[in-house]
Amino acid sequence: MTHRIDTVIGRQLWDSRGRPTVEAEVRLAGGAIGRAIAPAGASRGAHEAIDLRDGGAAFGGMGVAQAVANVMREIAPALAGMDARDQSAVDAALVALDGTPTKQRLGGNAVVAVSMAVLHAAAAAEAVPVWRWLAQDRAVRLPLPEIQIFGGGAHAGRRTDIQDFMVMAPHAGSFRRALEITDEVYRAAGRLMAELGPLAGVADEGGWWPNFASNEQALDVLTRSIDTAGYRPGEDVFISLDIAANELGNGATYRLALDDRAMNGAAMAETVIGWTQRYPIISVEDPAAQDDLATMTAVTAAIGDRVQVIGDDVLVTRAERVETAAAAKACNAALIKVNQIGTVTEAKAALDAARAHGWGTIVSARSGETEDVMIAHLAVGWDAGQFKVGSFTRSERMAKWNEMLRIEEALGARADYAGAGAFAAPIAAALT
Ligand SMILES: O=C(O)[C@@H](CO)OP(=O)(O)O
Ligand SMILES: [Mg+2]
């Protein structure tokens, strides 16, 4: 049988931060091959799948070599003979074999690499791109990109409290045009940064390394960058922030080091709400810590009709946490990272749960990435509507944006840009 899994190989490769990671290679009986590489986060939720990584107990302590060994010795024999087209059966076998809620026995990095490699192999056996294999005959859209201009937080030595300063161009008309607009904003931001002082390179995801005296100065410069590039802030191009508040506090207290302020959840909500009133912000991710649903709910209640409120660390791509957050009205959008939960099938379940609540959905990269472009295919094949990869100028990011341009070209006249329609209904309506 052509689609039967013959062998599964694991190998150690290196990620964009120069840290070891896991690649899985799946070979089918008919000769098709699928490969996938595990990414790695720096600002990680406590409820995420746990990788076996080098770097001590915080990363599982046992190292990538153990994860690779687990692929070869345990996962390969368990999957041999299975039909690669039956992704849910493969993923169920991986979950059962691991036997922990967090994939920590085999390693989240081992499991996610194999799960995605099986998907890749199945599409290869059908001789179609992964996005097409996932979508089958369903209509898909080119996603609205959110692209980083400044990197901060855990990705830039905590030079700003806010982690990702991004822009979105919902009215660009095409994915290709959205990239062009964002590139112009990125260049303009670089020129403005150079006026503030010597440029100090880029952060982990390629956004300019921030050199600001306050969080508000960063927001000022970002707004001016949009304007300087020739676009109307809040009409053509909007700001999108990932606060990554998990890195700022535990829910009881939040500390904005740059602004020299400590505050409780209610004050944190007021701070974020205030930013959305003073700046052309269309989207805010993780305005509160992973278990602080009260603050997430306060922010969503105040601004959720006009601003996207995304759950990342708070949801960790787990369908049951999406349900809990939905019951609390804590978000109106979900970030989807396959490696947070560990398998393609479980990540899709989280996306479906978010969609069932009318939320926006964003397929996202991690801050530690590689040349693997699978997530571009997931964003299109699942019709997620939005896509977050980081910035320009680093090839592990460009590989994804460029793959999306190839997909846009393949769709030709049928390439439908999600644009404002990617947001939850009230926000989409407010934009049109
Ligand atoms: O928080 C995030 O959304 C991601 C990407 O910016 O960062 P990390 O992969 O470090 O969790
Ligand atoms: Mg995040």
Side-chain angles (χ1 to χ4, degrees):
M1 191 179 76
T2 321
H3 299 87
R4 199 165 42 76
I5 295 174
D6 187 17
T7 51
V8 183
I9 295 165
R11 64 174 67 91
Q12 183 195 300
L13 301 181
W14 299 84
D15 74 12
S16 56
R17 280 192 279 246
R19 297 202 183 132
T21 188
V22 181
E23 177 171 78
E25 184 169 308
V26 172
R27 296 187 185 162
L28 306 189
I33 294 178
R35 285 194 198 104
I37 312 175
S43 63
R44 297 166 46 81
H47 308 287
E48 287 192 27
I50 296 173
D51 291 345
L52 298 180
R53 287 177 61 185
D54 301 302
F59 298 120
M62 294 167 71
V64 166
Q66 181 64 49
V68 168
N70 290 345
V71 172
M72 310 286 266
R73 289 192 207 130
E74 289 209 48
I75 295 177
L79 298 192
M82 292 190 78
D83 187 332
R85 293 171 298 186
D86 194 348
Q87 186 78 40
S88 59
V90 167
D91 289 341
L94 288 169
V95 168
L97 183 66
D98 174 76
T100 72
T102 50
K103 320 290 193 286
Q104 68 190 68
R105 196 182 72 77
L106 295 171
N109 42 357
V111 172
V112 78
V114 171
S115 179
M116 293 196 301
V118 168
L119 173 61
H120 198 199
E126 297 289 303
V128 292
V130 173
W131 69 266
R132 168 63 74 200
W133 168 244
L134 289 170
Q136 297 288 327
D137 295 329
R138 287 184 295 278
V140 293
R141 296 170 299 171
L142 267 297
L144 166 64
E146 38 171 3
I147 303 181
Q148 193 188 70
I149 307 297
F150 306 125
H155 304 162
R158 303 189 188 276
R159 280 292 302 124
T160 53
D161 298 298
I162 298 170
Q163 178 182 284
D164 299 331
F165 295 84
M166 298 169 287
V167 295
M168 302 181 91
H171 307 304
S174 69
F175 180 82
R176 176 177 300 273
R177 182 68 193 131
L179 286 193
E180 286 167 2
I181 292 170
T182 310
D183 186 55
E184 291 167 32
V185 174
Y186 183 85
R187 302 288 151 204
R191 289 194 296 275
L192 291 176
M193 292 294 287
E195 286 171 16
L196 289 176
L199 283 176
V202 299
D204 279 6
E205 298 189 8
W208 297 109
W209 186 270
N211 182 21
F212 300 113
S214 68
N215 293 297
E216 302 227 341
Q217 189 193 17
L219 290 165
D220 280 331
V221 174
L222 183 52
T223 308
R224 278 175 51 216
S225 306
I226 297 169
D227 192 47
T228 306
Y231 299 100
R232 294 167 299 180
E235 290 181 61
D236 305 317
V237 179
F238 295 79
I239 292 175
S240 168
L241 300 177
D242 183 0
I243 312 285
N246 225 24
E247 303 288 312
L248 305 177
N250 54 12
T253 313
Y254 293 93
R255 186 168 158 67
L256 295 182
L258 210 56
D259 301 344
D260 197 20
R261 285 177 64 202
M263 60 192 109
N264 63 16
M268 183 68 195
E270 281 311 310
T271 300
V272 173
I273 293 163
W275 287 335
T276 69
Q277 288 161 345
R278 288 194 297 285
Y279 297 97
I281 294 171
I282 194 66
S283 183
V284 173
E285 182 179 325
D286 281 353
Q290 60 201 357
D291 293 314
D292 184 5
L293 283 190
T295 301
M296 291 292 299
T297 299
V299 172
T300 304
I303 62 174
D305 58 338
R306 59 184 178 82
V307 177
Q308 175 166 262
V309 182
I310 306 173
D312 171 16
D313 294 341
V314 71
L315 304 176
V316 291
T317 315
R318 279 184 181 269
E320 71 269 20
R321 289 184 71 90
V322 170
E323 295 302 340
T324 306
K329 294 188 165 48
C331 327
N332 59 30
L335 208 73
I336 302 294
K337 297 163 165 168
V338 180
N339 85 324
Q340 278 183 325
I341 180 74
T343 66
V344 170
T345 303
E346 291 168 288
K348 178 62 163 40
L351 181 131
D352 287 342
R355 186 175 281 158
H357 289 290
W359 290 8
T361 55
I362 305 100
V363 167
S364 172
R366 301 309 302 250
S367 51
E369 274 290 338
T370 67
E371 66 275 22
D372 190 304
V373 296
M374 172 65 77
I375 59 169
H377 291 262
L378 298 180
V380 176
W382 287 344
D383 193 26
Q386 298 177 60
F387 192 36
K388 177 185 177 190
V389 175
S391 191
F392 293 100
T393 74
R394 290 186 56 134
S395 289
E396 79 279 4
R397 316 284 147 188
M398 293 318 304
K400 278 82 160 167
W401 302 129
N402 287 340
E403 183 74 354
M404 194 62 80
L405 289 171
R406 293 187 193 101
I407 297 172
E408 186 171 47
E409 181 187 294
L411 279 161
R414 292 172 299 136
D416 179 18
Y417 179 58
F423 293 113
I427 306 162
L431 280 171
T432 46

